[in-house]
Amino acid sequence: MVRVSPRSRVAGWPAAVPVVLVFLVALAALALTALGACAPTGPGPEGGGGPAPATDLPVTRLTPLGEDDGYLGEGEGVSPFTEDLPLLTRMDPELLKAVRAAATEARTAGVDVVVTSGWRSERYQQFLLDAAVTVYADEEEAARWVATPQASSHVSGEAVDIGRTDAADWMGRYGAAHGLCQTYANEMWHFELAVEPGGTCPAPRADASAG
Ligand SMILES: [Zn+2]
């Protein structure tokens, strides 16, 4: 058990209230915030995440996630043509080029492509993984949805999440013309360069835990 100094207790609470309980509640809230954006219909697929809430609990003394982590506020998406945003600029340049080309083509079909997640820092990915483990209360299930920082293609800059649902659907149908393929069967929003432009995408892996 982590020893907690008296001053980190919540003022006015009985000393018997374990700070760890408060920590867990805060973590659960963070986790729900992060995974609330998980559904394909949501604007922030598989990774919203959120900066720590404004309390003075020990867990929130960590530096909040920010643009330099590739973090985008919950529910937000950006145009793939946005300049100077790390989640885009730290992406594999070929991937970004392909996404922009596909987005331009999608526009002519009346579909607006937004990027809901791109490059991520290791600590952002770890945050998402921790949140998933908390929500699913099962590491194996969490691993189906969120890769480790070591394995994540978002951390290596080789993956992009596309929103919103109509755009992800469009990308699934026509992205291969630009080399973009949905690589996990359970994530319709997640694309990687996986084929030569104009080729046929390989069958997606079942999920992020599949080798
Ligand atoms: Zn993804």
Side-chain angles (χ1 to χ4, degrees), residues 8-99:
S8 44
R9 292 195 191 108
V10 176
W13 286 31
V17 175
V19 171
V20 69
L21 179 63
V22 179
F23 171 88
L24 286 173
V25 169
L27 189 61
L30 276 173
L32 289 169
T33 301
L35 294 184
C38 212
T41 48
E46 131 215 14
T55 74
D56 59 359
L57 294 171
V59 67
T60 63
R61 290 185 187 145
L62 297 167
T63 311
L65 293 169
E67 279 187 6
D68 278 347
D69 294 292
Y71 171 77
L72 204 56
E74 185 194 0
E76 291 182 29
V78 293
S79 160
F81 299 97
T82 308
E83 305 278 354
D84 301 327
L85 199 56
L87 75 92
L88 294 174
T89 59
R90 295 179 191 169
M91 199 184 277
D92 169 9
E94 290 300 312
L95 173 60
L96 180 57
K97 203 168 134 189
V99 171

Side-chain angles (χ1 to χ4, degrees), residues 15-211:
V17 175
V19 171
V20 69
L21 179 63
V22 179
F23 171 88
L24 286 173
V25 169
L27 189 61
L30 276 173
L32 289 169
T33 301
L35 294 184
C38 212
T41 48
E46 131 215 14
T55 74
D56 59 359
L57 294 171
V59 67
T60 63
R61 290 185 187 145
L62 297 167
T63 311
L65 293 169
E67 279 187 6
D68 278 347
D69 294 292
Y71 171 77
L72 204 56
E74 185 194 0
E76 291 182 29
V78 293
S79 160
F81 299 97
T82 308
E83 305 278 354
D84 301 327
L85 199 56
L87 75 92
L88 294 174
T89 59
R90 295 179 191 169
M91 199 184 277
D92 169 9
E94 290 300 312
L95 173 60
L96 180 57
K97 203 168 134 189
V99 171
R100 286 176 169 172
T104 301
E105 188 186 325
R107 186 81 281 280
T108 66
V111 176
D112 279 321
V113 167
V114 297
V115 171
T116 56
S117 195
W119 169 84
R120 297 176 191 152
S121 69
E122 287 189 17
R123 75 180 196 126
Y124 181 14
Q125 188 68 28
Q126 186 65 52
F127 169 85
L128 294 173
L129 182 56
D130 292 346
V133 169
T134 301
V135 165
Y136 292 111
D138 182 313
E139 290 193 18
E140 273 187 34
E141 182 61 20
R144 293 187 60 234
W145 296 96
V146 184
T148 64
Q150 293 72 35
S152 172
S153 49
H154 281 283
V155 173
S156 63
E158 297 168 301
V160 62
D161 293 340
I162 298 298
R164 297 188 162 64
T165 305
D166 63 332
D169 181 64
W170 185 94
M171 198 68 83
R173 293 168 190 269
Y174 305 110
H178 304 277
L180 294 162
C181 301
Q182 177 190 339
T183 51
Y184 299 128
N186 66 337
E187 297 182 12
M188 70 171 289
W189 54 85
H190 178 103
F191 290 86
E192 299 179 28
L193 286 177
V195 72
E196 289 299 316
T200 303
C201 286
R205 284 162 281 170
D207 57 55
S209 67

